[in-house]
Amino acid sequence: MTITRTDWSEKINPTVQNIPPSGIRRFFDLVTETKGVISLGVGEPDFVTPWHVREACIYSLEKGYTMYTSNSGLLELREALAVDLDNTYHVKYNPRTELLITVGVSEALDLCMRTLLQSGDEVLIPEPSYVSYAPCTVLAGGVPVFMSTGMDDSFRITADLVQSSITPRTKVLLLCYPNNPTGAVMDRDELEKIAEVAVEHDLIVISDEIYDRLTYIGKHTCMAALPGMKDRTLLLNGFSKAYAMTGWRVGYVAGNPDFIAAMTKIHQYSMLCAPITGQMAALEALKNGQPGMRRMVEHYNRRRNMVVQAFRDMGLPCFEPGGAFYAFPQTSVTGLCSEDFAEELLKEEQVAVVPGNVFGTSGEGFVRVSYAASLDDLSEAFRRMGRFVRRRGVRSRLISAPIKIQRPERAGISQSL
Ligand code: PLP
């Protein structure tokens, strides 16, 4: 029998074929090839999951909790989440019908898109945006429509911007505040106006609130807690960031019971359930992890102040992030585009940051710097970055682009994913 090679390029679904791999991943292949690198690139807490959480999970394994849970997740965890949401935001969810435990916010986002979108439905996404939003939209048959923000508007959207981005095909408004990659937070007044627009145009709001507890300026407003918004909001959250639990893979969606039931069908056939060990750990984090979480947040806040000041001292304009653990300094003042800045910094000074253009075209001219790193690493990284910026020199501040909407054909979607 003659062996013929399969032409996989013909077999792979073109929608998947056309999606570029994450720009962050491509950049981090470079990082692993370079010695002595201080990485301020990954969006991951530098803390290990608190000991009491790890211990609770060890006990659960000793007791033999190694099986599937219900598709919806452990009822005890859903009950604890319902209490937590009520205590924090005064929004009541029925743990049996309005909560689904997922494999991180990542799965939650994918499920929301696949359950909501039909071919051609438009999803409004503030940009710069987290790298998964546009690909998950496209994979579900939707069309991402980016709403550009810049440093001059503190990387916030406005109700007017949302209003002017709406077409008859707009179905979803996807929000992420505090924001990855900019650290921007929204104030309640503007969110209320945005909520009115969502109601007027019958939009579903997907609110990714994975950084809600990491808010340093003002008080976080939960979209679902605004008047009339609980039923049209899909609230996404998880344990990765606030509780330093990225590897446990636990997140959740809170929302309308019919929608949760529909999502659960995809979840039960594709994922079955989130891992029980992670769910046990999440339960412990919710019950006893609040003081530890608050201590971590205090650490991030101290580093945030130091990082913003350090960028400004070296002449890079840096907007003050109100949440998450990222700074987004403007590096175009060195005359380098985002990719060149990040690559040359890595090669010359062995410091890894993420080029802003991987978060979309309006991220060009910036880099994302995670300050979820030890103070020692941050101090050394800033010494090296200062040296690098001094060598390049700093030109006068470039004014960031005015707010604009990027329709897909103009946005060059494949580049900005
Ligand atoms: N949403 C945002 C905004 C993120 O920054 C991340 C991770 O970086 C995720 C979702 C994914 O979170 P999880 O670990 O819960 O899948």
Side-chain angles (χ1 to χ4, degrees):
M1 188 176 89
T2 39
I3 299 173
T4 51
R5 287 182 70 85
T6 306
D7 182 356
W8 280 99
S9 64
E10 280 187 0
K11 308 280 181 208
I12 298 170
N13 172 345
T15 309
V16 179
Q17 190 99 275
N18 292 335
I19 288 205
S22 159
I24 298 188
R25 284 289 137 224
R26 189 196 73 77
F27 192 73
F28 277 91
D29 289 344
L30 275 178
V31 173
T32 43
E33 290 159 14
T34 319
K35 282 216 172 77
V37 175
I38 301 178
S39 178
L40 306 182
V42 263
E44 171 154 66
D46 59 311
F47 299 106
V48 176
T49 306
W51 171 244
H52 69 96
V53 174
R54 286 181 277 154
E55 198 176 34
C57 146
I58 293 166
Y59 286 146
S60 81
L61 290 172
E62 279 181 357
K63 283 190 215 131
Y65 286 106
T66 56
M67 59 289 282
Y68 296 131
T69 67
S70 119
N71 294 140
S72 307
L74 289 171
L75 181 58
E76 214 185 332
L77 176 58
R78 284 178 281 143
E79 283 169 347
L81 278 169
V83 171
D84 183 61
L85 287 166
D86 193 9
N87 288 344
T88 317
Y89 297 123
H90 313 296
V91 197
K92 292 198 187 321
Y93 287 98
N94 181 333
R96 291 179 184 275
T97 57
E98 295 182 313
L99 277 162
L100 171 67
I101 309 295
T102 56
V103 180
V105 171
S106 303
E107 194 215 353
L109 176 72
D110 183 46
L111 289 179
C112 285
M113 293 301 185
R114 288 204 277 159
T115 310
L116 275 171
L117 299 180
Q118 288 179 276
S119 179
D121 284 342
E122 292 180 0
V123 178
L124 301 182
I125 305 175
E127 197 201 61
S129 78
Y130 175 53
V131 289
S132 296
Y133 293 161
C136 282
T137 303
V138 171
L139 286 170
V143 179
V145 174
F146 300 105
M147 300 178 290
S148 296
T149 64
M151 197 162 61
D152 295 335
D153 47 69
S154 305
F155 296 106
R156 294 174 183 186
I157 53 165
T158 60
D160 287 346
L161 180 58
V162 175
Q163 178 83 49
S164 61
S165 311
I166 291 171
T167 73
R169 291 309 309 260
T170 310
K171 188 167 194 181
V172 177
L173 170 63
L174 173 49
L175 300 180
C176 172
Y177 295 100
N179 184 266
N180 176 7
T182 63
V185 291
M186 292 287 292
D187 57 41
R188 189 182 169 99
D189 287 354
E190 200 60 40
L191 278 179
E192 278 174 354
K193 289 185 199 150
I194 290 171
E196 279 169 27
V197 175
V199 172
E200 187 190 332
H201 294 273
D202 196 19
L203 303 183
I204 298 300
V205 179
I206 300 179
S207 190
D208 178 349
E209 303 196 14
I210 192 164
Y211 296 103
D212 67 339
R213 310 293 152 115
L214 279 64
T215 299
Y216 317 106
I217 300 176
K219 201 167 171 240
H220 174 73
T221 300
C222 172
M223 197 65 188
L226 293 179
M229 287 307 288
K230 183 193 158 195
D231 193 51
R232 65 175 62 249
T233 301
L234 299 167
L235 171 58
L236 274 44
N237 208 335
F239 293 80
S240 290
K241 314 289 174 169
Y243 298 95
M245 290 178 61
T246 47
W248 301 83
R249 310 308 305 128
V250 186
Y252 65 90
V253 186
N256 170 282
D258 294 338
F259 189 81
I260 294 287
M263 283 176 86
T264 307
K265 285 193 274 181
I266 305 182
H267 174 75
Q268 75 189 11
Y269 292 127
S270 59
M271 208 58 68
L272 224 155
C273 65
I276 186 168
T277 313
Q279 294 190 58
M280 290 284 184
L283 183 58
E284 170 63 22
L286 260 192
K287 283 186 171 165
N288 299 312
Q290 310 303 317
M293 184 258 287
R294 279 194 288 272
R295 277 195 296 279
M296 288 191 269
V297 174
E298 278 164 25
H299 280 284
Y300 296 136
N301 195 14
R302 277 202 289 277
R303 298 171 194 181
R304 177 182 77 102
N305 292 327
M306 174 201 145
V307 162
V308 171
Q309 196 52 51
F311 279 124
R312 290 179 180 169
D313 287 348
M314 69 176 81
L316 301 187
C318 187
F319 145 83
E320 185 184 353
F325 39 52
Y326 308 107
F328 207 60
Q330 189 182 21
T331 47
S332 55
V333 290
T334 61
L336 296 170
C337 71
S338 297
E339 294 236 350
D340 287 352
F341 185 96
E343 277 190 41
E344 289 178 25
L345 177 66
L346 179 63
K347 283 192 194 125
E348 292 177 26
E349 294 289 354
Q350 292 77 52
V351 174
V353 296
V354 182
N357 61 316
V358 310
F359 305 103
T361 46
S362 42
E364 178 51 52
F366 297 82
V367 295
R368 188 191 77 177
V369 176
S370 163
Y371 50 85
S374 72
L375 277 176
D376 284 351
D377 274 358
L378 284 173
S379 308
E380 176 57 19
F382 274 89
R383 213 172 53 79
R384 297 184 193 182
M385 271 192 279
R387 213 158 50 195
F388 176 82
V389 169
R390 275 197 300 281
R391 275 202 301 278
R392 290 294 180 290
V394 168
R395 292 149 186 76
S396 63
R397 188 186 150 192
L398 306 176
I399 305 298
S400 44
I403 290 183
K404 59 184 184 302
I405 306 152
Q406 298 168 35
R407 294 260 147 233
E409 59 281 10
R410 269 196 285 141
I413 282 190
S414 60
Q415 273 155 33
S416 54
L417 293 187

